[in-house]
């Protein structure tokens, strides 16, 4: 299978958004019509995978969030301080253009989101997602995410389990 090289970068106004065509029309529409406003208002950050021709092959968004301690599995909750909420980063949206599906790009975008969240100086316990359907939830479970017991389409992955690719890692030794 041919694997296109991708460059991951924050979305900027020069990126062509209208051609993006994933399996999900709401996620296509969001990229076309809504995301730049959300970025401007600082309610979401958006990162894109670009081909060598600057085409958007995939994207995801991140924003601050919180999880209710009481919603977490008991085995997780008992290891955390007794505050009502636990800080998290929400990956609000993730989509790969149909032309690039099945080439590892969705997994690479997810890894990039985990890496960004784990590298942040602002603490967050987990990356969380609201999967739009059971297929999406299966994708996240495949990558180690844990479902909330009473809300199986909300899933989280503790960031302490992620080894961030800190540039300083290499320099520190
Ligand atoms: C879900 C989506 C992002 C996956 O992107 P992709 O580039 O096709 O996925 P990848 O090729 O990176 O797959 C990575 C791994 O996940 C697995 N995988 C992909 N979809 C899966 C699913 N629905 N259930 C379980 N595993 C899945 C692949 O088999 C692969 O496994 P491997 O690394 O062990 O070989 C893409 O199909 C998409 O954009 N769907 C429409 C929008 C959507 O559903 N977004 C989800 C967020 S709500």
């Amino acid at each position: 299978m041919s694997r296109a090289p991708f460059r991951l970068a924050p979305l900027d106004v020069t990126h062509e958004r209208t051609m993006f065509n994933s399996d999900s029309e709401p996620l296509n529409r969001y990229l076309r019509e809504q995301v730049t406003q959300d970025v401007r208002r600082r309610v979401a950050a958006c990162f894109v995978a670009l081909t060598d021709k600057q085409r958007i092959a995939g994207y995801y968004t991140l924003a601050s969030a919180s999880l209710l301690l009481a919603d977490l599995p008991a085995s997780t909750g008992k290891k955390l301080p007794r505050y009502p909420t636990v800080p998290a980063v929400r990956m609000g949206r993730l989509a790969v253009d149909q032309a690039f599906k099945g080439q590892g790009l969705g997994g690479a975008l997810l890894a990039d989101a985990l890496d960004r969240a784990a590298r942040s100086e602002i603490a967050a316990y987990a990356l969380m997602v609201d999967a739009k359907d059971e297929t999406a939830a299966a994708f996240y479970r495949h990558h180690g995410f844990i479902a909330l017991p009473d809300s199986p389409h909300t899933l989280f992955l503790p960031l302490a389990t992620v080894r961030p690719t800190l540039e300083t890692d290499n320099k520190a030794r």
Side-chain angles (χ1 to χ4, degrees):
M1 187 198 305
S2 73
R3 278 174 188 261
F6 300 108
R7 184 172 68 84
L8 295 181
L11 176 72
D12 80 44
V13 287
T14 66
H15 297 146
E16 164 55 51
R17 290 174 286 117
T18 59
M19 304 286 283
F20 184 77
N21 185 31
S22 76
D23 288 345
S24 164
E25 189 43 39
L27 291 174
N28 301 341
R29 205 178 320 118
Y30 177 78
L31 187 67
R32 255 191 338 257
E33 296 173 10
Q34 178 78 36
V35 69
T36 54
Q37 267 187 55
D38 283 2
V39 169
R40 204 177 321 117
R41 293 176 179 148
R42 292 192 60 86
V43 295
C46 181
F47 301 91
V48 292
L50 297 164
T51 68
D52 54 359
K53 297 194 170 71
Q54 300 301 302
R55 173 172 171 187
I56 297 178
Y59 80 93
Y60 68 85
T61 62
L62 294 181
S64 295
S66 62
L67 285 159
L68 285 174
L69 185 66
D71 288 347
L72 293 171
S75 56
T76 304
K78 73 177 185 213
K79 295 181 200 142
L80 291 166
R82 304 278 95 202
Y83 303 130
T85 60
V86 180
V89 174
R90 173 181 279 111
M91 192 167 67
R93 291 172 172 88
L94 166 69
V96 167
D97 190 291
Q98 287 169 0
F100 302 97
K101 266 180 72 175
Q103 299 181 27
L105 182 56
L109 287 167
L110 185 54
D112 191 64
L114 285 163
D115 189 53
R116 267 178 222 282
R119 268 190 290 125
S120 172
E121 290 180 349
I122 300 170
Y125 168 69
L127 185 75
M128 64 175 290
V129 294
D130 289 309
K132 68 179 179 57
D133 54 29
E134 180 47 32
T135 307
F139 173 79
Y140 292 117
R141 288 197 302 270
H142 177 84
H143 288 90
F145 279 68
I146 303 160
L148 297 186
D150 294 331
S151 179
H153 286 179
T154 301
L155 303 99
F156 69 98
L157 188 71
L159 290 169
T161 65
V162 175
R163 170 103 173 87
T165 57
L166 284 175
E167 280 175 36
T168 48
D169 267 12
N170 300 325
K171 294 178 198 150
R173 269 163 284 168

